[in-house]
Amino acid sequence: MYSKAVVVFCVCACALAAAGPRVNRVEPLTKPCFSKCPELNVRAFKDPTPVVSPRDDLTKPINERYPSAVLFGRTCGGTIIGDKWILSAAHCSLFTSGRDILAGTNNTEDGTGIRRRVKKLYVHPRFSVGPYWLNADSYGIKQVAARWDFLLAELEEPLELDGKILAAAPIDDIAEHQGGETVGFAGFGAEQHGDVMRPDEHAMDLEVLPNSSCSKLIEFDPQDMLCATGRPPRYDTACNGDSGSGLISDSGSVIGVASWVENDAFECKNGAIIYFSRVSAARDWIKQITGI
Ligand SMILES: *[C@@H]1O[C@H](CO)[C@@H](O)[C@H](O)[C@H]1NC(C)=O
Ligand SMILES: *[C@@H]1O[C@H](CO)[C@@H](O)[C@H](O)[C@H]1NC(C)=O
């Protein structure tokens, strides 16, 4: 990436220099600079933040890129935020029969990973959904949405966090997320609407959308939600069973909890916008319950 940028710049610099003396700042070049470029020009193109997020290190297995991601119950995801605490979506308490979590693995069926039983669930006091969540069809509703969709699960026994395959994600307390920010998401949800959970963990890169684009759906309220969408060429989206999984920022903190998807009642179409509960909105409540 870096060397490519340098070559491109050099080619441009040569072209500009050849165009005549009107271009200042670019030192006159006596020879084309395809192989050796002036230090000055190279510096001008250096990326000021060359840090690669651990989430983006594709040489690592998904569970090491997302060491805070867990399977919550049998049909949801969640995020480790402390050795005894998992953050998930409140609506998962309506559907998931399980009272346990599976952490530190990228496969839910091969016996790997660490299981912990849940001692107690805490639903956000402002959580609400309509009755249509259970049967959107009979209400003739296409779009389902939840408000304040946060759940905290306290574990019976603490997880031994090693920071590599088991880690707690810092909790985001910044409400301001500009459109365009790259974020990531990992879970075990279905590939297609109505399918069962996938045993293999999958991850996707998403882009946060500005509030104004999220409000394309009237159910959106920036107070407790943020939205993101898949990037080309895959235009990934979330699907049934990805609910509760964390939206992870470059710094590794959890900024959202997967709550609902555009046209949720019918499909998980590529490119569909995913709506997350905005973690910063529940910051005080999380602190109050967990002390974290
Ligand atoms: C799953 O985890 C195992 C053990 O950490 C690793 O060897 C494997 O490459 C991982 N698979 C994927 C698809 O990430
Ligand atoms: C989106 O709305 C939330 C809640 O009102 C606000 O805190 C945040 O700053 C807004 N984001 C942007 C990028 O304007």
Short mmCIF file of all heavy atoms in Angstrom, two decimals, residues 6 14 24 42 52 77 87 113 142 180 225 228:
data_model
loop_
_atom_site.label_atom_id
_atom_site.label_comp_id
_atom_site.label_asym_id
_atom_site.label_seq_id
_atom_site.Cartn_x
_atom_site.Cartn_y
_atom_site.Cartn_z
N VAL A 6 3.76 5.72 -2.95
CA VAL A 6 4.98 6.44 -3.26
C VAL A 6 5.22 6.45 -4.77
O VAL A 6 5.50 7.48 -5.36
CB VAL A 6 6.19 5.79 -2.53
CG1 VAL A 6 7.49 6.38 -3.04
CG2 VAL A 6 6.04 6.00 -1.03
N CYS A 14 6.74 13.72 -11.39
CA CYS A 14 7.50 13.83 -12.64
C CYS A 14 6.66 14.54 -13.69
O CYS A 14 7.12 15.42 -14.38
CB CYS A 14 7.89 12.45 -13.15
SG CYS A 14 8.96 11.59 -12.01
N ASN A 24 4.86 25.25 -8.26
CA ASN A 24 5.88 25.39 -7.23
C ASN A 24 5.74 24.26 -6.22
O ASN A 24 4.87 23.42 -6.33
CB ASN A 24 5.85 26.76 -6.57
CG ASN A 24 4.46 27.32 -6.53
OD1 ASN A 24 3.52 26.53 -6.42
ND2 ASN A 24 4.31 28.61 -6.66
N VAL A 42 8.40 11.94 -0.55
CA VAL A 42 7.94 10.71 0.09
C VAL A 42 7.29 11.05 1.43
O VAL A 42 6.22 10.59 1.76
CB VAL A 42 9.13 9.74 0.32
CG1 VAL A 42 8.67 8.56 1.16
CG2 VAL A 42 9.67 9.28 -1.02
N VAL A 52 -2.43 -0.67 12.33
CA VAL A 52 -3.47 -1.59 11.87
C VAL A 52 -4.22 -2.11 13.09
O VAL A 52 -3.64 -2.57 14.06
CB VAL A 52 -2.83 -2.78 11.11
CG1 VAL A 52 -3.90 -3.79 10.73
CG2 VAL A 52 -2.10 -2.28 9.89
N GLY A 77 -25.74 -13.33 19.79
CA GLY A 77 -24.33 -13.07 20.08
C GLY A 77 -24.23 -12.13 21.27
O GLY A 77 -25.25 -11.65 21.80
N LEU A 87 -22.42 -8.12 27.30
CA LEU A 87 -23.40 -7.16 26.79
C LEU A 87 -24.07 -7.78 25.56
O LEU A 87 -23.39 -8.29 24.66
CB LEU A 87 -22.69 -5.86 26.40
CG LEU A 87 -23.55 -4.75 25.78
CD1 LEU A 87 -24.59 -4.23 26.77
CD2 LEU A 87 -22.66 -3.60 25.30
N GLY A 113 -13.68 -23.88 22.98
CA GLY A 113 -14.25 -22.68 23.63
C GLY A 113 -14.58 -22.92 25.09
O GLY A 113 -14.45 -24.03 25.61
N LYS A 142 -43.63 -4.91 7.83
CA LYS A 142 -42.41 -5.33 7.16
C LYS A 142 -41.19 -5.07 8.03
O LYS A 142 -40.21 -5.78 7.98
CB LYS A 142 -42.22 -4.51 5.88
CG LYS A 142 -43.04 -4.99 4.72
CD LYS A 142 -42.52 -4.32 3.47
CE LYS A 142 -43.39 -4.69 2.28
NZ LYS A 142 -43.02 -3.92 1.10
N GLY A 180 -18.84 6.96 7.72
CA GLY A 180 -17.60 6.59 7.04
C GLY A 180 -16.63 5.84 7.92
O GLY A 180 -15.71 5.20 7.43
N MET A 225 -29.85 4.61 18.92
CA MET A 225 -29.47 3.72 17.82
C MET A 225 -28.39 4.35 16.96
O MET A 225 -28.29 5.57 16.88
CB MET A 225 -30.67 3.46 16.89
CG MET A 225 -31.89 2.91 17.56
SD MET A 225 -33.26 2.89 16.37
CE MET A 225 -34.62 2.52 17.46
N ALA A 228 -25.20 1.03 10.39
CA ALA A 228 -24.00 0.76 9.59
C ALA A 228 -24.40 -0.10 8.41
O ALA A 228 -25.45 -0.74 8.41
CB ALA A 228 -22.97 0.03 10.44
#
